[in-house]
């Protein structure tokens, strides 16, 4: 009996299927993280759960043209369920996307992987948080897998000018151009 490599034993008609299966297995659970940034290290998920208003973001196709954008985070076992919602003035309708997020390192470090598209994950790096006196998080600066993705979030539809300045200065220190921010109409 002669040994033939795996791929030579597969019929040509099944070659594409096998290659696709191997690609999916190899990429399942992969997290896109091009640039690590400093993140909150005494993170408390319970204080982060709930609804956040998107105050500002860098432009990207999956939110282009949306206003009244919110993100809602709930816990389901070890998974954070993410529901993003925004209104399209052009289409006169609400758009909603449901995703899932998991901690990458530990549940007290603000670096998660989030997926809205099957097995592909992008980094969700909580670079800065502002806390109320009672410990609840009231504003957040989130960086994606690199500096092309950034969001300023708040528990209310408006953010104080002091907090806005704090976050834009932190973004500038990361090399993110404030003039490229879209200030979301709430």
């Amino acid at each position: 009996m002669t040994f033939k490599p795996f791929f030579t034993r597969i019929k040509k008609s099944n070659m594409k299927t096998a290659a696709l299966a191997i690609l999916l297995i190899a990429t399942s659970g992969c997290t896109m993280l091009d640039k690590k940034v400093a993140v909150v290290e005494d993170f408390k998920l319970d204080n982060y759960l709930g609804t956040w208003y998107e105050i500002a973001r860098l432009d990207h196709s999956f939110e282009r043209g949306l206003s009244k954008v919110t993100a809602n985070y709930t816990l389901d076992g070890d998974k954070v369920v993410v529901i993003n919602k925004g209104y399209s003035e052009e289409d006169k309708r609400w758009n909603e996307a449901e995703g899932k997020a998991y901690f990458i390192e530990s549940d007290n470090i603000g670096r998660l992987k989030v997926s809205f598209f099957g097995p592909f994950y992008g980094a969700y790096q909580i670079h800065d948080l502002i806390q109320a006196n009672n410990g609840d998080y009231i504003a957040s600066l989130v960086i994606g897998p690199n500096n092309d993705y950034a969001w300023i979030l708040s528990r209310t539809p408006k953010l104080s000018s002091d907090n806005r300045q704090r976050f834009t200065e932190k973004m500038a220190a990361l090399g993110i151009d404030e003039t490229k921010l879209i200030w979301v109409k709430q």
Side-chain angles (χ1 to χ4, degrees):
M1 179 172 168
T2 60
F3 172 76
K4 288 186 175 184
F6 175 73
F7 283 110
T8 61
R9 291 182 286 170
I10 298 175
K11 292 180 182 178
K12 286 186 180 183
S13 63
N14 292 333
M15 186 65 79
K16 285 183 182 178
T17 304
L20 181 60
I22 289 169
L23 176 65
L24 287 174
I25 290 167
T27 59
S28 67
C30 291
T31 302
M32 186 174 79
L33 178 57
D34 299 335
K35 182 178 181 185
K36 269 189 171 183
V37 298
V39 294
V40 174
E41 291 195 6
D42 188 21
F43 182 74
K44 294 175 180 62
L45 180 60
D46 286 344
N47 293 350
Y48 202 81
L49 298 174
T51 300
W52 291 87
Y53 293 87
E54 187 178 87
I55 303 300
R57 68 173 178 263
L58 292 176
D59 188 32
H60 45 77
S61 61
F62 50 92
E63 280 188 287
R64 190 162 291 137
L66 296 182
S67 60
K68 302 176 185 172
V69 178
T70 60
N72 188 285
Y73 304 96
T74 57
L75 190 58
D76 181 11
D78 68 338
K79 169 179 66 176
V80 178
V81 177
V82 182
I83 298 181
N84 289 345
K85 186 176 174 182
Y87 187 74
S88 170
E89 289 288 339
E90 183 179 324
D91 299 334
K92 304 289 186 222
R93 68 180 178 91
W94 288 93
N95 293 335
E96 187 173 286
E98 183 172 332
K100 57 188 173 189
Y102 298 93
F103 286 97
I104 293 175
E105 295 154 15
S106 138
D107 65 0
N108 67 338
I109 295 176
R111 186 174 288 115
L112 295 93
K113 61 182 183 177
V114 66
S115 176
F116 290 92
F117 312 108
F120 304 102
Y121 287 84
Y124 184 97
Q125 302 182 88
I126 303 166
H127 182 62
D128 192 21
L129 284 171
I130 297 173
Q131 285 185 282
N133 290 337
N134 66 359
D136 288 343
Y137 300 137
I138 59 172
S140 177
L141 173 58
V142 177
I143 308 299
N146 57 45
N147 286 354
D148 293 333
Y149 300 90
W151 296 267
I152 296 175
L153 306 175
S154 175
R155 291 293 190 178
T156 62
K158 296 192 186 280
L159 186 66
S160 75
S161 58
D162 289 345
N163 290 342
R164 180 179 167 158
Q165 181 177 351
R166 171 179 166 159
F167 288 153
T168 55
E169 286 174 359
K170 288 189 176 258
M171 292 170 89
L174 293 172
I176 298 171
D177 183 356
E178 175 190 356
T179 64
K180 293 185 177 183
L181 284 173
I182 295 170
W183 294 94
V184 179
K185 229 172 68 177
Q186 287 290 345

